[in-house]
Amino acid sequence: QHYFIQSNLRMTSEVINGIEVTDYRQQAQLEQPPDTIEELRGYLNKLSEERDGIQKDIEHHSEVLRREKNVGMDGPLVDEEQFPRSDIDLVAVRTSRQQMICLTNDMRGVMERIEVALFKLHQISLSQLHPPSAPPQEGSIRTPAPTRPPFLVVRGVLPDSPAQNSGLQDEDQICQMGSLHKENFTNLGDVAEVVKLSVNKAVPVKVLRGGTPKTLALKPCSWHGRGVLGCNVVELDG
């Protein structure tokens, strides 16, 4: 089964992992991923393996650039007299820089596919857990849908961090983060994917605090501390 169709040519530029990427490729639009939970989980596992392989290649080429005098993506390739540098392997540096750009584009595509698949898995899981009910009869009272069970817990919220600014507090129990919830959660890598895809975007987070449900808007972003959240998110025991 094919998951891509081509459409119009695109030329976009953005900064990903500190690399400015200009993409001249044909834009790939996602077809619908599989339609069953079992197939979706298998599809997500394959995408995760593809993501891990790309990340391994990125780390390899990053190591090459570090080994070559830590030249990175934008270090000079000529000396002060504008001659090619003799202290580094110019072919290896140019090759790794080009591969880093291509791999970063590939990583973005995989992450987009994962996001679409996770969202569909969430929709299917939701429809199975809460199938449409018959309209209430006159005089009856519709009860609200129950809160999803928590599966993550927040720890170590730092002052002035994106987590604190969103209203998250230590020991908040997360029931849903974007499209991620207990029924489609596999490991903490899922949380990392949601966070990466939500940088500089507000993602709804439903939490239980002292047994009371709350909905917050978490916006992962750069700040003066490490990471883009400023807190730890760990699996909830039990």
Side-chain angles (χ1 to χ4, degrees), residues 76-85:
L77 302 185
V78 295
D79 58 23
E80 294 179 354
E81 298 179 353
Q82 301 303 305
F83 288 104
R85 288 176 61 174

Side-chain angles (χ1 to χ4, degrees), residues 37 40 44 115-130 148 175-185 206:
I37 289 180
L40 275 169
L44 282 166
E115 182 182 28
V116 170
L118 281 173
F119 179 78
K120 186 166 186 178
L121 183 61
H122 160 63
Q123 295 294 99
I124 295 175
S125 299
L126 183 63
S127 66
Q128 292 183 357
L129 285 172
H130 308 294
R148 287 187 178 278
C175 304
Q176 187 166 342
M177 176 182 286
S179 60
L180 186 64
H181 53 84
K182 186 171 184 178
E183 286 75 24
N184 61 19
F185 173 76
K206 297 182 179 180

Side-chain angles (χ1 to χ4, degrees), residues 147-155 157 163 166 168-183 185 188 191 194-195 203-210 212-216 218 229 231-236:
T147 303
R148 287 187 178 278
F151 64 107
L152 302 169
V153 63
V154 178
R155 301 270 169 80
V157 177
S166 74
L168 277 175
Q169 298 181 9
D170 283 1
E171 303 306 322
D172 278 352
Q173 296 183 350
I174 297 177
C175 304
Q176 187 166 342
M177 176 182 286
S179 60
L180 186 64
H181 53 84
K182 186 171 184 178
E183 286 75 24
F185 173 76
L188 290 175
V191 178
V194 171
V195 171
V203 56
V205 179
K206 297 182 179 180
V207 304
L208 280 179
R209 181 178 301 161
T212 301
K214 295 180 178 292
T215 300
L216 308 172
L218 174 62
L229 291 182
C231 73
N232 293 323
V233 177
V234 300
E235 292 187 52
L236 184 64

Side-chain angles (χ1 to χ4, degrees), residues 30-173:
L30 292 173
E31 294 182 341
Q32 289 295 320
D35 294 321
T36 68
I37 289 180
E38 183 177 354
E39 290 175 337
L40 275 169
R41 286 176 174 162
Y43 177 59
L44 282 166
N45 285 337
K46 290 181 180 179
L47 290 178
S48 295
E49 291 174 0
E50 185 176 347
R51 175 202 61 202
D52 293 344
I54 294 171
Q55 184 60 40
K56 184 177 180 180
D57 289 341
I58 288 175
E59 291 170 358
H60 165 73
H61 290 290
S62 295
E63 177 58 30
V64 171
L65 297 177
R66 284 192 295 270
R67 185 178 66 232
E68 298 297 330
K69 305 296 184 181
N70 203 26
V71 69
M73 292 296 295
D74 52 10
L77 302 185
V78 295
D79 58 23
E80 294 179 354
E81 298 179 353
Q82 301 303 305
F83 288 104
R85 288 176 61 174
S86 60
D87 61 332
I88 60 176
D89 186 335
L90 293 173
V91 173
V93 169
R94 289 193 177 102
T95 299
S96 287
R97 284 180 173 181
Q98 181 60 37
Q99 287 299 310
M100 287 285 285
I101 293 172
C102 294
L103 289 165
T104 304
N105 270 324
D106 293 343
M107 180 66 82
R108 177 178 55 194
V110 170
M111 296 302 289
E112 289 173 352
R113 292 155 66 192
I114 288 174
E115 182 182 28
V116 170
L118 281 173
F119 179 78
K120 186 166 186 178
L121 183 61
H122 160 63
Q123 295 294 99
I124 295 175
S125 299
L126 183 63
S127 66
Q128 292 183 357
L129 285 172
H130 308 294
S133 57
Q137 298 179 353
E138 184 177 356
S140 65
I141 299 175
R142 182 184 295 273
T143 57
T147 303
R148 287 187 178 278
F151 64 107
L152 302 169
V153 63
V154 178
R155 301 270 169 80
V157 177
L158 297 176
D160 300 322
S161 65
Q164 186 187 62
N165 292 336
S166 74
L168 277 175
Q169 298 181 9
D170 283 1
E171 303 306 322
D172 278 352
Q173 296 183 350

